[in-house]
Amino acid sequence: MKSKKMWLSLMLVLVVAIMSACGSSGDGANTSSNNEESTASTDNGQPKDGGSIIIAVQDDPKVMNPIYAGDRVTLTIDQSLYAPLFNVNDGKKTYVLAESDSFSDDHLTYTLKLKDGLKWHDGQPLTADDIVFTMDSILDEKQHSSSRSQYVFDGKPVKVTKVDDLTVEFQLPEVSAAFEGALVSFSPIPKHIFEGESDIEKSDKNNNPIGSGPFKFKEYRPGEYVTLERFDDYFAGKAHLDSVTYRVAKDPNAANLALQNGEIQMRMVDTQDYNKLNDTGKFNMLTYPEGRLQYMVFNLNVPSMQKKEVRQAIAYALDKNELITASYSSADFAEPAASILTPDTLYQTDDVEKYDYNLEKAKQLLADAGVSNLKLRLAYTNTNKPQTSQALYIQQKLKDVGIEVELLPMDGTAYGNRTLDMNNTDFELSFGGYIMGYEPDAYKSLFLSDAAYNYSHYKNADFDKLWSDAAVEIDEAKRGELYKQIQQTVANEMTVYPIAYTKAVVAVDNTYGGVEDANPKPVVMLEDLSKIYKK
């Protein structure tokens, strides 16, 4: 940044960065609905309390602990179990657990003060000790939290100390434009529960989580559901609903039927199903930009994918507009993507190689690489309708350049486990998607050479250094140039093929109110379920 004022302005608009294949941003949702929300209220004009809601999710949570949450399902459930320090929507910060925060004049000390009277679900006080413990756990390499990279700058971790019961100080190793944005995804875990655990991720205590959010854990039946009940001592006021149940519904067709029958009251739906559900008049259909990139990744663990010309040839052999139409029914739900950064991310640019459809160029690149009769395996989640459509399209399209594609539809859990295997050679191509938010530093957890979510397994020390330099650069022009180089590198190397920037579609039974107050939000559907009530 060229001035302190500009730097502070940038920090104000940072939003949540979620690592893993998925992430979360706090951009304000552009919502549309086929029903105007009516308000059922008591005599004093307030929404009525009581009742429950059943929300469909695609799989079981991985581990109900926010320092490990990276997939959509776990993040969605954790949103109700654990409270963050603050949220940022449309550049506006809203404090949750935090009362205030500030930087020192040299921007190397960040002071955060908690609200008084905060409680964990077991009634114990939530204090600065929990903030320090959580950050130390994230930074402890033995705990292997995928959030760690967000708090390490140029190889040096942030240090956190307790000032008093409600105040902590974070000491930055150097000035960083990325730090506050990383804190948007920080939700503390209780020190009195996890202190002394040698492996927090595998601790049995995650099976009965103690959080600080508006709903507390009640019951979990793997493969079936997770039920939460209202936490009456929630600092921001108790929720309207008595309980929330997240039902595991892996089959989207069965889930849609359950939605229409009233067995489920909310779920994120595929765009192909929008018209059918909207036409029933039973649902509030929320459609909003999710800040999400849907992509195809090349697995460089497999020798046939290690030649850049082959990867580029595959990119040129695909018509992205046709691929989007085949996947999402309409361009209204997705737009072609060129960059690995989404349009809502700082320093995103489309000024990179776009690989417009060019069949002859694709054939020439394969010839130059000395490759013919190539056989590839394409893996994807078998219940994901857009991915299934994309797989069929790519299989047919690559025949035109002499590439045979074997389709490998997989159960979502098995697919996730295979893609996370750093030594995976079971397939050459796979699909994925992520939501990382406004702060571009969050993306490095997907692209650094040793990152768990680097599904392409592309390793390049110079590329890693670009990410490290960009995280701490506060000159706006210089930082923008570094992120442009990062985007150009991925495009030129073609380790990831960006397909589309997609929109979310969430169907909510129109017998529920408070949807707009709950704030439609990427990844987790609604930011604050405490605002939802039964009409």
Side-chain angles (χ1 to χ4, degrees):
M1 292 291 173
K2 294 180 172 128
S3 71
K4 185 186 300 184
K5 182 177 180 181
M6 290 175 66
W7 191 85
L8 290 172
S9 177
L10 167 62
M11 296 300 287
L12 180 63
V13 296
L14 295 176
V15 296
V16 64
I18 298 296
M19 85 246 87
S20 159
C22 312
S24 168
S25 71
D27 58 325
N30 211 355
T31 60
S32 62
S33 164
N34 69 331
N35 292 289
E36 289 192 13
E37 187 174 296
S38 61
T39 301
S41 59
T42 60
D43 290 340
N44 63 8
Q46 297 301 311
K48 292 180 179 178
D49 291 342
S52 61
I53 190 169
I54 300 175
I55 301 171
V57 291
Q58 294 178 320
D59 207 344
D60 288 276
K62 304 301 182 189
V63 54
M64 286 180 283
N65 187 312
I67 75 171
Y68 298 105
D71 64 287
R72 187 187 290 271
V73 173
T74 306
L75 289 164
T76 299
I77 296 172
D78 280 359
Q79 183 78 6
S80 294
L81 272 174
Y82 298 92
L85 298 173
F86 51 81
N87 291 313
V88 177
N89 294 302
D90 281 343
K92 181 181 179 181
K93 180 186 293 183
T94 303
Y95 291 110
V96 184
L97 296 178
E99 178 75 32
S100 64
D101 60 340
S102 62
F103 272 99
S104 60
D105 289 342
D106 63 4
H107 302 299
L108 291 175
T109 301
Y110 178 86
T111 303
L112 183 136
K113 186 176 179 61
L114 294 172
K115 292 174 179 174
D116 196 8
L118 299 175
K119 290 183 181 180
W120 293 105
H121 291 158
D122 61 0
Q124 293 296 310
L126 191 164
T127 70
D129 289 320
D130 298 300
I131 306 301
V132 173
F133 175 79
T134 302
M135 182 59 76
D136 285 345
S137 298
I138 290 172
L139 292 171
D140 182 356
E141 293 184 85
K142 294 179 182 178
Q143 298 297 346
H144 43 84
S145 169
S146 54
S147 299
R148 185 177 187 274
S149 64
Q150 298 181 75
Y151 306 106
V152 176
F153 303 101
D154 200 19
K156 293 168 285 191
V158 169
K159 294 181 180 179
V160 58
T161 56
K162 173 184 176 180
V163 177
D164 57 43
D165 283 347
L166 297 179
T167 311
V168 294
E169 283 186 352
F170 297 90
Q171 299 292 330
L172 278 62
E174 53 188 302
V175 176
S176 169
F179 175 70
E180 190 176 22
L183 279 184
V184 183
S185 62
F186 183 98
S187 293
I189 60 175
K191 177 181 179 180
H192 69 280
I193 297 294
F194 289 104
E195 188 173 26
E197 290 290 308
S198 59
D199 190 337
I200 293 175
E201 183 178 22
K202 295 181 180 178
S203 172
D204 290 340
K205 294 175 181 178
N206 291 315
N207 298 327
N208 187 18
I210 302 297
S212 56
F215 292 91
K216 61 183 180 179
F217 178 79
K218 181 179 181 182
E219 184 181 17
Y220 174 33
R221 291 197 175 186
E224 296 184 39
Y225 60 82
V226 176
T227 296
L228 313 180
E229 59 185 353
R230 182 174 57 218
F231 177 45
D232 288 344
D233 288 333
Y234 184 54
F235 75 95
K238 67 179 185 179
H240 297 300
L241 295 175
D242 294 328
S243 66
V244 176
T245 295
Y246 297 92
R247 180 182 293 179
V248 178
K250 295 186 177 184
D251 183 338
N253 293 319
N256 281 342
L257 183 60
L259 189 67
Q260 294 180 76
N261 291 338
E263 300 168 33
I264 291 171
Q265 288 85 47
M266 186 170 87
R267 74 176 294 258
M268 183 169 287
V269 302
D270 293 314
T271 55
Q272 294 96 324
D273 299 322
Y274 178 91
N275 288 335
K276 181 179 180 180
L277 293 171
N278 189 54
D279 289 347
T280 66
K282 295 181 178 179
F283 306 105
N284 188 347
M285 300 295 290
L286 307 175
T287 304
Y288 54 92
E290 205 175 19
R292 180 178 184 271
L293 174 69
Q294 203 275 328
Y295 62 89
M296 182 173 71
V297 65
F298 299 88
N299 181 6
L300 273 64
N301 283 345
V302 184
S304 62
M305 290 291 93
Q306 292 171 2
K307 287 188 176 182
K308 178 171 67 174
E309 295 82 2
V310 173
R311 303 192 299 267
Q312 291 175 332
I314 291 172
Y316 278 120
L318 303 175
D319 186 320
K320 198 167 291 185
N321 290 311
E322 287 183 354
L323 185 54
I324 288 173
T325 301
S327 309
Y328 301 102
S329 301
S330 167
D332 291 340
F333 298 114
E335 61 179 274
S339 169
I340 57 168
L341 304 187
T342 55
D344 62 325
T345 303
L346 193 66
Y347 306 119
Q348 190 265 2
T349 179
D350 285 334
D351 186 19
V352 296
E353 177 60 63
K354 295 182 175 61
Y355 294 88
D356 294 331
Y357 176 61
N358 190 325
L359 190 60
E360 294 308 312
K361 190 166 187 176
K363 291 178 179 178
Q364 186 60 54
L365 282 166
L366 290 173
D368 292 344
V371 172
S372 60
N373 300 317
L374 189 61
K375 295 183 179 180
L376 305 177
R377 297 158 295 176
L378 171 56
Y380 58 96
T381 306
N382 58 8
T383 56
N384 188 301
K385 290 183 179 182
Q387 287 188 10
T388 300
S389 299
Q390 288 166 6
L392 291 168
Y393 172 86
I394 290 171
Q395 182 185 52
Q396 293 300 313
K397 204 70 176 177
L398 292 187
K399 285 181 179 179
D400 295 339
V401 292
I403 297 177
E404 180 182 333
V405 178
E406 177 187 359
L407 302 185
L408 299 178
M410 301 173 67
D411 169 81
T413 301
Y415 180 69
N417 291 337
R418 294 310 301 141
T419 55
L420 282 172
D421 181 356
M422 299 291 282
N423 300 309
N424 171 40
T425 57
D426 289 351
F427 41 80
E428 289 79 11
L429 307 171
S430 60
F431 292 130
Y434 54 69
I435 301 169
M436 304 306 292
Y438 190 77
E439 172 49 52
D441 184 60
Y443 287 75
K444 70 184 179 187
S445 64
L446 309 175
F447 292 97
L448 292 178
S449 295
D450 60 352
Y453 298 104
N454 175 7
Y455 297 133
S456 70
H457 310 296
Y458 173 70
K459 301 182 187 300
N460 183 327
D462 291 336
F463 185 55
D464 292 346
K465 189 174 187 306
L466 286 175
W467 286 103
S468 297
D469 291 347
V472 299
E473 179 57 65
I474 61 171
D475 182 280
E476 185 175 11
K478 291 179 180 178
R479 194 170 191 234
E481 182 56 35
L482 288 168
Y483 280 115
K484 184 174 182 179
Q485 290 181 50
I486 286 170
Q487 294 167 82
Q488 288 175 329
T489 298
V490 178
N492 293 339
E493 291 292 311
M494 190 36 63
T495 56
V496 170
Y497 175 73
I499 296 174
Y501 303 126
T502 62
K503 290 184 179 180
V505 180
V506 177
V508 185
D509 191 300
N510 59 21
T511 60
Y512 289 83
V515 174
E516 299 303 324
D517 289 338
N519 188 28
K521 184 174 182 178
V523 179
V524 299
M525 295 185 273
L526 295 176
E527 182 177 81
D528 187 0
L529 285 179
S530 72
K531 300 294 193 294
I532 296 294
Y533 58 88
K534 195 82 169 74
K535 290 182 181 178

